[in-house]
Every structure is written in structure tokens, then in C-alpha cells.
């Protein structure tokens, strides 16, 4: 995890906030560093994590996590992390006899009309059940990278939103846990449904972290701009500005944040 980002957000591994929907947005840039931060943060905080990875392989996420001081393999062995590798599971549906398996494949909707995400929700719900060894984690966290991929697999927007609704009801309301979604978009995108999904999730989220590429284009010293919108602060009348904007530079094992135009490279 990135200490500087924790300081910006006021987060602590000792007392992480609960019952939150945290939305990570990426426009014209790669915001996966935010996803890796929250994955390592909640594992270090002692939470039970269910990670639905629709974009990259387990080895990719584990490689980055190791740089941040976390072993996803160890977390899996300790039943702290339930990792769903969407790319591999999708291949099983396309190229094997998954239908003949006794356990329904959570991605079985691919071979249907794309409307039935019940098995995927069932996977999420059962993965959050108490561990067989009796160990009690702080609270559950579900991380999804990227729910927009479901649209490209033929799932209707209304069914994706229904899936999100059931996850919120279970994780946020019933179990008092957190949801973290990373969605990708483009200012010139013609994918209307993906843009509508992003808007719907931004409306529901308690916190939005929006990473954008620089309008001036690529810069070696400044990699992008991060807008942090904390709705809870606005609704509670808190002293902190609910909308804050920073620029950032991604380093090997860290991320540096600074006010717009205040990078040492441009002063």
C-alpha cells in the first residue's frame, strides 16, 4: 500500500472504515495503482477479501502486491483472500465441458443470454462465509477489476447494476463490509453502456478516486491527476473540502502526490 495515499484519505490499517463503496475511475490513464493500493491495504488491515479479477491474471496482481509487501499466495493459503481469475474461468466455459461440472461455473452466463449473474453473486456470497478454521477477520471486502468487462461479455447493463445492488445489500448493509470497484472509461468512448455504468456507480459511491491523464500529454515527472471526492464529508458538513485535486508520480514502490503545478520538475 502507499502511505502517502493513506494520509490523503485519512485511512488507517488499525481502524479501517466500514460499509463503504469506493469507486476508482480511470480516464485516459492507468489507475491500477489505486486498485493495488486498496488490495494490499485491506489484506494488511486483516480483512477477508474477495477479489473478482476480470482484467489480469493472478500472477500479475501477486507480482505487484509483493512490491507493496503483501503475498497474495500466502493470503490465499490462509483463507484470507478468495481470488476469482476471470480470464481463466472464461476460457473454461468456452473451451471445456464446464456445464457438466457438479459446481456451476460463476461465468456460465457467457454461454447463455448474459442475463443470469446469480452464480457470480453466489460465488461472492459464499466466499465471505466464516473460515472453516474459525479465524475471524475484521470485516469482508469485495474488490472488482473491472465490472465494465461484464458488459463486453454480453451482460446487459440492468443486470450488472442488479448484481451491484445485491453486492451492496450483502456486503455494505448486511455484513458492514466494503466494496471497491475499478472502472475504465474514455472521453471519446463510444461505449455508451460502459459510460452509463460509470455514472451509476459514481452516484452510489461514498468515495470516488478519479485518475486522469494530463491534458498536456505524457510527462516523465508527472504521470496524471487524481481527483478525490468524498461524499460523506459533504453530507456531514465536515471541514475538509469534499473535492480535492492532486497530481502524482508513480515510482517503483511508492506514489508521490503534490498540488497541481507544484512538482519539482516544473518549478
Amino acid at each position: 500500500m502507499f502511505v502517502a495515499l493513506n494520509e490523503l484519505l485519512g485511512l488507517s490499517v488499525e481502524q479501517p472504515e466500514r460499509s463503504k463503496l469506493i469507486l476508482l475511475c480511470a480516464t485516459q490513464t492507468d489507475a491500477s495503482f489505486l486498485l493495488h493500493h486498496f488490495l494490499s491495504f485491506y489484506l494488511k488491515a486483516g480483512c477477508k477479501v474477495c477479489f473478482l479479477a476480470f482484467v489480469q491474471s493472478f500472477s500479475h496482481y501477486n507480482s505487484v502486491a509483493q512490491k507493496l509487501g503483501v503475498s497474495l499466495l500466502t493470503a490465499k493459503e490462509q483463507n484470507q483472500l478468495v481470488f476469482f481469475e476471470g480470464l481463466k474461468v472464461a476460457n473454461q466455459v468456452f473451451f471445456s465441458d464446464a456445464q457438466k461440472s457438479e459446481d456451476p461455473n460463476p461465468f456460465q452466463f457467457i454461454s447463455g443470454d448474459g442475463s443470469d449473474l446469480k452464480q457470480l453473486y453466489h460465488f461472492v456470497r459464499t466466499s465471505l462465509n466464516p473460515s472453516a478454521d474459525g479465524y475471524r477477520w475484521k470485516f469482508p471486502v469485495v474488490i472488482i477489476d473491472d465490472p465494465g468487462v461484464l458488459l463486453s461479455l454480453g451482460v446487459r447493463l440492468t443486470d450488472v447494476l442488479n448484481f451491484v445492488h445485491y453486492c451492496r445489500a450483502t456486503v455494505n448493509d448486511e455484513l458492514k463490509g466494503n466494496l471497491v470497484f475499478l472502472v475504465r472509461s474514455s472521453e471519446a468512448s463510444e461505449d455508451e453502456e460502459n459510460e452509463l455504468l460509470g455514472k451509476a456507480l459514481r452516484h452510489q459511491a461514498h468515495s470516488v478516486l478519479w485518475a486522469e491523464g494530463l491534458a498536456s500529454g505524457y510527462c516523465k515527472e508527472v504521470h496524471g491527476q487524481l481527483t478525490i471526492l468524498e461524499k460523506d464529508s459533504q453530507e456531514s458538513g465536515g471541514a475538509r473540502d469534499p473535492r480535492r485535486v492532486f497530481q502524482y508520480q508513480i515510482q517503483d514502490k511508492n506514489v508521490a502526490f503534490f498540488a497541481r503545478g507544484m512538482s519539482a520538475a516544473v518549478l
Side-chain angles (χ1 to χ4, degrees), residues 217-230:
Y218 173 78
C219 175
K220 182 178 179 181
E221 302 297 334
V222 183
H223 293 154
Q225 178 172 289
L226 179 68
T227 300
I228 301 174
L229 176 61
E230 297 175 278

Side-chain angles (χ1 to χ4, degrees), residues 80-193:
Q80 183 185 9
L81 172 66
V82 176
F83 192 94
F84 180 81
E85 195 166 352
L87 297 175
K88 181 182 294 185
V89 176
N91 281 336
Q92 291 173 354
V93 176
F94 284 127
F95 304 113
S96 71
D97 295 329
Q99 296 93 330
K100 299 179 182 179
S101 172
E102 293 182 1
D103 298 323
N105 190 315
F107 260 25
Q108 198 59 52
F109 62 83
I110 296 176
S111 61
D113 63 359
S115 64
D116 191 355
L117 295 179
K118 292 180 181 177
Q119 292 301 329
L120 185 60
Y121 167 75
H122 179 72
F123 175 87
V124 172
R125 184 66 182 87
T126 55
S127 70
L128 302 179
N129 290 336
S131 301
D133 55 15
Y135 190 89
R136 296 183 63 86
W137 306 103
K138 281 185 180 178
F139 57 83
V141 177
V142 175
I143 302 176
I144 304 181
D145 178 22
D146 158 356
V149 171
L150 296 173
L151 297 173
S152 64
L153 292 174
V155 182
R156 293 188 292 264
L157 175 61
T158 53
D159 293 306
V160 176
L161 292 176
N162 285 337
F163 172 73
V164 170
H165 169 76
Y166 279 102
C167 285
R168 287 196 64 191
T170 299
V171 181
N172 287 160
D173 300 335
E174 179 185 343
L175 302 177
K176 308 302 179 185
N178 290 351
L179 293 166
V180 180
F181 298 154
L182 171 59
V183 295
R184 297 168 174 84
S185 64
S186 170
E187 292 179 350
S189 174
E190 296 181 357
D191 189 344
E192 182 179 353
E193 285 199 333

